[in-house]
Amino acid sequence: MDLGAYRPVLANRDTRSALVLGFLIRVPMWAGAVILTLHVVSSLGRSYGEAGLVTAASTVAVAVSGPWRGRLLDRIGLRRTVGPSLVVQAVCWSIAPWVGYAPLIGFAALAGLFVVPTFSILRQVIIRSVPTEQRRTALSLDSSATELSFMAGPAIGVWLATSWDTGWALLVCELTSVAAGFVLWLVNPRLTSDTDAVGEQVALDGVGEAGRAEAVAGAVEPDDAPPARAIRGFITVPVAAVYLAAACSTLVLSGTDVSIVAALRSFQATGSIGWVLALWGAGSLVGGLLYGAWHRSFSVFWLLGGLAATTAPVALAVGVPSFAVLITVSGFLCAPTITATVEQLSRQVPERFRGEMMGWHGSAMTAGSAVGAPVAGFAIDHGGWPWGFVVVSALGVVIAVAGMVGSRASRGARAGAGSEAPDEGRVGTPTRGGSADSEHGASAANIGH
């Protein structure tokens, strides 16, 4: 482990700017999410269940928009993608705080469809701006900055909602997010290092869908392996497996979130929820920083298995002190697992598809969160709070083991086919890192959510 690995990453101006801008964008985003719930409950006089429906409408819309917005980033660039989003966001959140419950759901959903894909944009900038060997370290810093913003944002949101009228608090937070998005539009950071991406895409379009699929598959395989068949566009079986791992990781995390609340209520320590969640986030922050300084990467399935395995023992807690220790330990692999999914995808998917890749990544994580909370809730209702941790942990272990076995079998099958099959259907010289690696060579390949 070498903490000095962070020095060259932080010395990179583009990476440093993306990290700072990402933190400033995400803090009002997390704060606005909390204020929206409090606004529905306190100002509109609705139940928490009804507040959850507003959040669900926004979440589903964001999940649906992820691949679409990412595809736009790849095809038309940052400014033409973000510009209309800023207009829709400004209009929606200027009106939404002053309307009734039903219109609020509509405005929240519309804003979700046109949300500025900040996670995708900033992670693409970070990936593009550092050499391949610094990719894990840079993405770990981004995950750690996200944890910091998540720890700060909700606290600020609660303070604003209790100090001001919730309508004004919601307006200020959401328009602050719009202003941060405008800064992103103004800066217009470069997302890819491949200046020939457009011409390459035109060439691929000319060979038809079948040829395009073979070209995409071949571009992400090592030189000694036959190309994998794409399921759709750039999505091969290995890529789909990483998306499944990303979804399962947030399934475990969202289930853990619900189970924490249930456990502390059972211990009659509801007032401890805030600082216990902060400890969980701090564990993730430390784990992310350590993973970024580690000398090598790990398979996302090993990390997912570790995340699930360290979550299960929390069910053995007998009081708040032991619960706090176990939940902190369970947080260590949160950020590394998410980082590994992004890093692994960035190596498997050609650079020209990176916006859409990150969009699908966000949708996968959103889907996992949507499944994890009700699964844990069902387990808690029927067996008590410990079963919330046990069930999501078991699902995580099952997916992780299946992924390990499947990856090993896939590598064996490709190696066997490579010794017999002719090398057909490739475009150029494929590398593990895609077009970014081939452009900059072995010494410094730019990585370019």
Side-chain angles (χ1 to χ4, degrees), residues 225-304:
R229 178 71 62 178
I231 300 171
R232 179 192 178 278
F234 63 87
I235 301 180
T236 61
V237 171
V239 169
V242 177
Y243 283 136
L244 178 60
C248 193
S249 66
T250 52
L251 182 152
V252 173
L253 296 180
S254 63
T256 299
D257 199 356
V258 172
S259 301
I260 289 172
V261 175
L264 293 175
R265 289 186 64 186
S266 177
F267 293 144
Q268 297 183 345
T270 306
S272 301
I273 291 175
W275 65 264
V276 169
L277 287 173
L279 282 178
W280 187 35
S284 177
L285 174 64
V286 172
L289 291 173
L290 291 176
Y291 182 64
W294 205 254
H295 63 279
R296 61 181 291 262
S297 298
F298 291 91
S299 165
V300 65
F301 296 108
W302 281 102
L303 291 170
L304 174 61

Side-chain angles (χ1 to χ4, degrees), residues 61-443:
V62 171
V64 170
S65 73
W68 164 53
R69 310 295 289 166
R71 196 175 302 118
L72 287 178
L73 284 173
D74 292 331
R75 292 180 177 178
I76 65 176
L78 187 149
R79 282 191 167 172
R80 291 173 63 189
T81 300
V82 171
S85 292
L86 294 175
V87 175
V88 174
Q89 292 283 314
V91 171
C92 284
W93 292 116
S94 295
I95 300 173
W98 321 115
V99 300
Y101 176 73
L104 178 61
I105 294 177
F107 279 114
L110 180 60
L113 283 175
F114 285 87
V115 68
V116 177
T118 53
F119 278 85
S120 176
I121 291 171
L122 294 172
R123 283 174 177 164
Q124 285 188 79
V125 173
I126 290 171
I127 288 172
R128 186 268 306 162
S129 64
V130 298
T132 303
E133 63 271 15
Q134 296 175 3
R135 185 175 304 182
R136 183 185 70 260
T137 303
L139 290 172
S140 295
L141 273 177
D142 179 66
S143 293
S144 298
T146 301
E147 290 292 346
L148 285 174
S149 67
F150 182 72
M151 294 167 70
I156 293 173
V158 170
W159 175 75
L160 287 174
T162 53
S163 301
W164 299 358
D165 174 80
T166 57
W168 285 106
L170 183 61
L171 177 70
V172 168
C173 265
E174 296 297 348
L175 291 188
T176 300
S177 292
V178 173
F182 177 73
V183 172
L184 189 62
W185 179 90
L186 202 61
V187 174
N188 191 26
R190 189 160 53 92
L191 302 181
T192 65
S193 57
D194 189 358
T195 55
D196 295 326
V198 174
E200 186 177 1
Q201 180 62 47
V202 171
L204 284 173
D205 290 341
V207 301
E209 188 63 29
R212 181 173 178 266
E214 290 181 0
V216 171
V220 298
E221 295 293 340
D223 289 332
D224 58 352
R229 178 71 62 178
I231 300 171
R232 179 192 178 278
F234 63 87
I235 301 180
T236 61
V237 171
V239 169
V242 177
Y243 283 136
L244 178 60
C248 193
S249 66
T250 52
L251 182 152
V252 173
L253 296 180
S254 63
T256 299
D257 199 356
V258 172
S259 301
I260 289 172
V261 175
L264 293 175
R265 289 186 64 186
S266 177
F267 293 144
Q268 297 183 345
T270 306
S272 301
I273 291 175
W275 65 264
V276 169
L277 287 173
L279 282 178
W280 187 35
S284 177
L285 174 64
V286 172
L289 291 173
L290 291 176
Y291 182 64
W294 205 254
H295 63 279
R296 61 181 291 262
S297 298
F298 291 91
S299 165
V300 65
F301 296 108
W302 281 102
L303 291 170
L304 174 61
L307 172 64
T310 55
T311 298
V314 183
L316 301 176
V318 294
V320 174
S322 60
F323 186 87
V325 172
L326 291 170
I327 203 65
T328 303
V329 172
S330 75
F332 286 158
L333 291 178
C334 295
T337 304
I338 302 301
T339 297
T341 61
V342 179
E343 181 193 11
Q344 197 161 325
L345 286 170
S346 72
R347 294 180 182 277
Q348 292 177 328
V349 176
E351 189 178 42
R352 63 185 175 275
F353 297 116
R354 217 161 262 170
E356 187 175 357
M357 173 202 82
M358 290 305 306
W360 281 108
H361 180 265
S363 296
M365 295 182 67
T366 301
S369 297
V371 172
V375 165
F378 181 82
I380 292 167
D381 290 340
H382 289 79
W385 68 264
W387 282 98
F389 292 101
V390 171
V391 169
V392 296
S393 297
L395 289 172
V397 169
V398 168
I399 296 298
V401 171
M404 294 174 199
V405 173
S407 296
R408 182 170 299 178
S410 177
R411 285 196 299 270
R414 289 202 303 270
S419 62
E420 302 174 0
D423 186 14
E424 297 178 352
R426 299 200 184 203
V427 173
T429 303
T431 63
R432 187 181 178 196
S435 56
D437 292 345
S438 61
E439 182 188 16
H440 291 271
S443 61

Side-chain angles (χ1 to χ4, degrees), residues 23-76:
F23 180 81
L24 296 177
I25 288 174
R26 290 161 186 164
V27 167
M29 180 183 71
W30 300 129
V34 172
I35 294 172
L36 182 61
T37 296
L38 295 175
H39 176 71
V40 173
V41 172
S42 60
S43 296
L44 300 184
R46 299 285 181 153
S47 67
Y48 280 98
E50 289 172 309
L53 288 176
V54 178
T55 302
S58 175
T59 300
V60 170
V62 171
V64 170
S65 73
W68 164 53
R69 310 295 289 166
R71 196 175 302 118
L72 287 178
L73 284 173
D74 292 331
R75 292 180 177 178
I76 65 176

Side-chain angles (χ1 to χ4, degrees), residues 5-13 15-16 19 141:
Y6 287 106
R7 190 176 298 112
V9 174
L10 290 172
N12 186 300
R13 185 180 63 181
T15 305
R16 190 170 60 247
L19 291 170
L141 273 177

